[in-house]
Amino acid sequence: MSVRGFVVLAVVLATAVPAVAIADGRPNAADLESELVCPTCKTTLDQSDSPVAQRMKAFVRARIAAGDSEQQIKDALVDQFGEGVLARPPRGGFGALAWALPLAALGVGAVAVAFLVRAWSRRRVVEAHDEAPLDPRLERLVDEELARFDG
Amino acid sequence: MGYRARLAAQGAAIGLVALLFILLAWSLLHRDGGSLAAAANRGERPTAPDFTLDRIDRDGKLTLSSLRGKVVVVNYWASYCYPCRAEAPFLEDVWRGDRGRDVVVLGVDWQDFRGDARRFMRRYDVSFPVVHDGPGDVGFDYGITGLPETYVIDRQGKVVEAFIGAINTDEDRARLRSAIAKAHTT
């Protein structure tokens, strides 16, 4: 095979592999079951064996086989059972609060910690400055003791 | 940080924990499965929680309070519930026999696919009105602990009697008839 033929084959293979991956890129049932919640037991479908969870799993598999996308399957389940079936709340609307509140809490916590650390370190500096000078007599005694200890 | 400020921070933290604890207790008490049923069966006649849900038997919505003035038999069921199949024919009999006497049997299809519910209704010849409670919130308001459960509501919207489990024995059926009669008298 000539160099040109080899390059052409390489290019064809390089473009074909992603095409095959996309064609086979159907939603994975196991992944979806970990992202959907059983409305009765409030755990993800992969951890639930309740009758409604079993029925939802069958629905997910049937819709995957029918060629539905992940979003279409989720939308269909939300239409039946409400947004509570989504393990991760939607990023828009009221669901955005579920994402924003922990981040806000984290921010407030970081500011509080920074404030406390600053306040504590200031107090130590003040305490260090507030230390009274040693009595000259005691200082001499300490020096004598240290000298004796070193000697 | 001064002693007072530290004391205030500790107080606030304790207050926050206490508030969360109270919220948890409140939530547990209000989701206490069977509390409404237990109160009704003690003869307390608690008010039936009102709801508006999409109908399954036809288009539109149905509000429980719009049936005020009638005796309403609210039956929670789902297509995947085996005991629900056993009691469906009896509830259909009650609906067909008593609808002319201001009795409404109202099915609440709980945490179920609408399509499955419609198939169930065709298979078991259910003709009484049925609404869909997909998320299950209305069922939680009633404190249901399983399926099926049935609540007999009087003309003033008070729960006269509750049935936990299927109404599938002669004794259960007689009790339901008696509860309907009692609901008529109030």
Side-chain angles (χ1 to χ4, degrees):
Chain A
M1 185 185 286
S2 68
V3 174
R4 179 183 279 185
F6 183 78
V7 170
V8 168
L9 183 66
V11 169
V12 167
L13 284 176
T15 52
V17 168
V20 170
I22 289 166
D24 195 34
R26 291 189 296 184
N28 180 292
D31 288 347
L32 265 172
E33 286 170 13
S34 69
E35 293 170 16
L36 293 163
V37 174
C38 159
T40 306
C41 33
K42 307 292 182 199
T43 59
T44 50
L45 289 186
D46 56 351
Q47 294 179 359
S48 173
D49 210 26
S50 72
V52 67
Q54 287 180 29
R55 181 64 191 89
M56 288 169 75
K57 287 179 195 175
F59 176 84
V60 166
R61 283 163 206 273
R63 294 324 307 164
I64 289 173
D68 281 7
S69 69
E70 182 181 324
Q71 197 54 51
Q72 284 173 319
I73 295 169
K74 285 182 177 174
D75 288 347
L77 286 169
V78 166
D79 177 53
Q80 296 283 345
F81 300 99
E83 287 192 340
V85 290
L86 300 176
R88 278 182 292 182
R91 290 178 188 275
F94 187 71
L97 268 182
W99 294 96
L101 280 180
L103 290 174
L106 211 65
V108 170
V111 169
V113 167
F115 174 78
L116 286 173
V117 167
R118 201 166 158 217
W120 288 333
S121 55
R122 264 191 190 169
R123 191 174 64 186
R124 282 199 182 158
V125 171
V126 170
E127 280 172 357
H129 284 299
D130 284 352
E131 281 173 9
L134 208 57
D135 185 326
R137 194 175 59 87
L138 280 174
E139 198 168 357
R140 199 175 57 245
L141 275 173
V142 169
D143 287 343
E144 283 172 10
E145 286 296 320
L146 283 172
R148 207 167 59 184
F149 182 74
D150 290 338
Chain B
M1 188 185 279
Y3 176 72
R4 279 174 183 238
R6 206 181 312 160
L7 208 62
Q10 284 173 349
I14 290 168
L16 186 67
V17 171
L19 183 70
L20 289 173
F21 185 77
I22 289 166
L23 278 174
L24 176 69
W26 185 87
S27 162
L28 287 174
L29 283 173
H30 283 73
R31 287 221 163 175
D32 181 17
S35 59
L36 185 80
N41 292 340
R42 279 196 303 268
E44 291 175 15
R45 299 209 173 190
T47 301
D50 195 17
F51 56 80
T52 300
L53 291 170
D54 289 333
R55 289 183 75 149
I56 287 186
D57 57 316
R58 65 161 79 162
D59 288 341
K61 293 175 181 290
L62 192 148
T63 300
L64 177 67
S65 55
S66 71
L67 302 172
R68 201 60 57 81
K70 297 182 178 186
V71 171
V72 186
V73 179
V74 176
N75 172 242
Y76 285 90
W77 63 276
S79 61
Y80 50 78
C81 155
Y82 287 95
C84 301
R85 299 170 190 183
E87 68 174 10
F90 170 67
L91 292 169
E92 181 63 23
D93 281 350
V94 171
W95 163 245
R96 289 187 185 180
D98 287 9
R99 62 187 296 190
R101 290 190 282 271
D102 278 349
V103 175
V104 177
V105 175
L106 173 59
V108 181
D109 177 46
W110 192 71
Q111 295 190 338
D112 196 6
F113 285 91
R114 294 185 198 91
D116 291 353
R118 290 195 184 100
R119 270 191 291 279
F120 179 101
M121 290 163 68
R122 278 195 297 274
R123 185 170 179 184
Y124 294 95
D125 204 16
V126 170
S127 67
F128 52 80
V130 176
V131 291
H132 184 239
D133 182 18
D137 295 339
V138 171
F140 289 131
D141 284 348
Y142 276 72
I144 70 168
T145 53
L147 294 172
E149 287 194 11
T150 304
Y151 295 80
V152 178
I153 300 167
D154 70 13
R155 292 163 183 272
Q156 279 77 45
K158 308 279 185 190
V159 181
V160 170
E161 197 150 341
F163 297 76
I164 309 304
I167 301 170
N168 56 6
T169 65
D170 287 343
E171 190 185 340
D172 291 336
R173 292 183 192 113
R175 209 179 118 214
L176 185 82
R177 297 265 186 217
S178 158
I180 290 172
K182 195 161 65 177
H184 265 303
T185 60
T186 56

